[in-house]
Amino acid sequence: MARVALVTGGTRGIGEAISVALKAAGYTVAATYGGNDEAAHKFRDDTGIHVYKWDVGDFEACKDGIAKVEADLGPVDVLVNNAGITRDGVLHRMDPAAWRAVIATNLDSLFNMTRNVIEGMRNRNYGRIISISSINGQKGQFGQANYSAAKAGVFGFTKAVAQENAAKGVTVNAIAPGYIATEMVKAVPEEVLKTKILPLIPTGRLGEPEEIARCVVFLAAEEAGFITGATLTANGGQYMT
Ligand code: CAA
């Protein structure tokens, strides 16, 4: 039986490429999305991948949603915490809603999702938790106090949960993408992208979603069982840790 992989925010952007790559690698994939029905339905029709709609910032919604995925497809062996949003703005003008929304979707979601699959993984002595952080959680980013804080939190979560579950065959890792050609990056003002970001990327280009997806497939594999608590960085050389 194919292993089941659940990808949050798995119908658009980097998440879409991750869902498609995991399916190609032989997994049965479930992709969640938060709001864009049209994109999700097109994705489902194009790829044949199962889609589910819930808010990853809401613990009960995650609990119910995961129960439904497991009833439909079987126990989740691979969880990819990918869903993320931006509400960019300098801190001295940021309102509480912009802070809360980003922390809820980008960081609370790790607890909400992982908490609801981890007991099953421990009982089965197998699991892969892969969370998508960001270069901006590693280095900080002007205009992203909320996003940088959430993405930095991903690393602490990963290292703690990796320790707790290593003896149970469950690995927990993070991926730190740089600037990838998705709608999220295209939303950055063009002048800022051209003058403040692109010149800092030694490869001279944005990354492609598929370049992050292959990192996920690598960490999801059974053969990656000795890698845990790690961060796999893919940023075109923009920031070297
Ligand atoms: N470093 C230093 N100075 C910067 C800067 C930077 N990265 N970005 C902007 N500034 C400066 C501007 O040059 C400007 O300076 P002057 O007033 O001297 O001209 C000043 O800050 C204000 O800039 P804006 O006019 O752009 O101000 P704003 O309030 O309208 O917007 C902002 C500020 C929201 C931070 C905007 O510049 C922005 O969106 N920046 C991009 C932030 C970013 O990189 N987001 C990443 C999104 S992609 C993502 O998050 C995915 C991922 O994981 C990588």
Side-chain angles (χ1 to χ4, degrees):
M1 273 271 284
R3 292 194 182 281
V4 174
L6 174 54
V7 183
T8 67
T11 65
R12 291 196 296 139
I14 292 174
E16 175 177 6
I18 293 170
S19 297
V20 167
L22 286 170
K23 185 179 180 204
Y27 296 86
T28 299
V29 179
T32 79
Y33 70 102
N36 191 332
D37 293 312
E38 197 182 318
H41 293 159
K42 180 172 185 324
F43 166 83
R44 180 194 58 203
D45 296 343
D46 289 349
T47 63
I49 290 172
H50 311 263
V51 300
Y52 296 84
K53 182 179 183 179
W54 75 76
D55 175 3
V56 293
D58 177 335
F59 183 82
E60 291 302 323
C62 291
K63 189 174 174 193
D64 295 347
I66 289 168
K68 170 127 182 55
V69 170
E70 295 200 323
D72 291 349
L73 307 177
V76 173
D77 284 324
V78 178
L79 169 64
V80 185
N81 289 311
N82 164 78
I85 59 169
T86 54
R87 295 284 183 276
D88 291 357
V90 287
L91 181 73
H92 52 272
R93 282 196 288 272
M94 188 178 289
D95 62 24
W99 173 265
R100 189 84 301 280
V102 169
I103 298 296
T105 301
N106 299 13
L107 185 58
D108 290 351
S109 59
L110 267 65
F111 174 77
N112 298 342
M113 292 296 299
T114 310
R115 178 68 185 82
N116 284 303
V117 298
I118 197 75
E119 288 179 87
M121 289 180 175
R122 288 173 62 86
N123 290 337
R124 295 188 301 277
N125 281 298
Y126 187 84
R128 298 281 181 266
I129 309 285
I130 301 162
S131 301
I132 307 301
S133 179
S134 165
I135 185 175
N136 293 342
Q138 295 172 306
K139 70 168 189 56
Q141 170 60 34
F142 189 108
Q144 286 199 308
N146 49 4
Y147 188 89
S148 298
K151 292 298 190 181
V154 172
F155 300 125
F157 177 91
T158 296
K159 292 174 188 175
V161 182
Q163 290 175 41
E164 292 174 6
N165 293 284
K168 290 286 185 183
V170 181
T171 67
V172 189
N173 292 292
I175 295 172
Y179 282 73
I180 309 299
T182 63
E183 281 170 45
M184 185 182 273
V185 168
K186 287 175 197 151
V188 172
E190 198 173 332
E191 197 50 30
V192 174
L193 196 60
K194 225 165 49 193
T195 61
K196 304 260 190 243
I197 294 168
L198 277 173
L200 303 179
I201 307 177
T203 51
R205 65 170 177 88
L206 298 175
E208 294 299 328
E210 292 72 19
E211 293 178 298
I212 304 306
R214 71 196 302 272
C215 298
V216 173
V217 173
F218 169 73
L219 290 171
E222 288 191 18
E223 295 82 353
F226 202 57
I227 305 172
T228 195
T231 298
L232 182 46
T233 289
N235 63 25
Q238 187 182 348
Y239 186 71
M240 302 182 188
T241 53

